[in-house]
Each structure stands twice: as C-alpha cells, then as structure tokens.
Amino acid sequence: MLDEYEVLNYVYKNANMGKESTKTLVKSLEGKDNKIINAVIDILNSYENFEKDASSILKRMNEKGKKYGPFATL
C-alpha cells in the first residue's frame, strides 16, 4: 500500500508532466485560429494548481516533490 508521501509525490510528478506538455500545446496554439485554446489554458491552470497544492503539502511534511527525469518527458 502506498503511503501519503508516495501518493502526493505521484500527484506532484504527474501534474508537473501534464503542466509541461500542456504548456507546449498552448505555445503551438498561440496565434492560430482555434476554438480550444481557452479550454487548454483552463487545463494548464488545473495542472499548475495540483502541482502547487501537492508541493505545499509535501513541504509541510518536510519533503520535496520529485519530478520525472528528462527522458520521461520526451
């Protein structure tokens, strides 16, 4: 069974990866005629909030969130 730290770190890592990939998508949509950019920006904000909340809770536990390595995000 996963302990609280493992679960929070999992949330942090995946929110960070989602945030980074969504930022890339936002950049590719900028300046183009599209109808989804606002929805994608909302998703980006959600990932940022999950990452920030998980990081904050981890700090209260005297822990630091670990991100996926650079090869995991390729």
Side-chain angles (χ1 to χ4, degrees), residues 25-72:
L25 178 57
V26 167
K27 287 178 186 176
S28 71
L29 293 173
E30 287 176 346
K32 296 180 181 168
D33 185 28
N34 61 70
K35 297 178 182 182
I36 65 165
I37 187 120
N38 290 332
V40 174
I41 290 171
D42 288 343
I43 292 167
L44 175 60
N45 291 334
S46 294
Y47 279 127
E48 289 173 338
N49 288 333
F50 277 121
E51 182 184 35
K52 184 175 65 173
D53 290 347
S55 178
S56 176
I57 295 168
L58 286 165
K59 283 180 186 175
R60 284 185 287 197
M61 297 170 63
N62 294 319
E63 298 285 350
K64 185 176 179 182
K66 298 176 185 169
K67 298 177 184 177
Y68 284 110
F71 291 109

Side-chain angles (χ1 to χ4, degrees), residues 3-21:
D3 67 12
E4 189 175 273
Y5 167 74
E6 288 177 293
V7 171
L8 284 168
N9 195 57
Y10 184 78
V11 169
Y12 176 80
K13 287 166 69 169
N14 285 288
N16 178 264
M17 185 181 286
K19 176 189 79 172
E20 294 303 322
S21 63

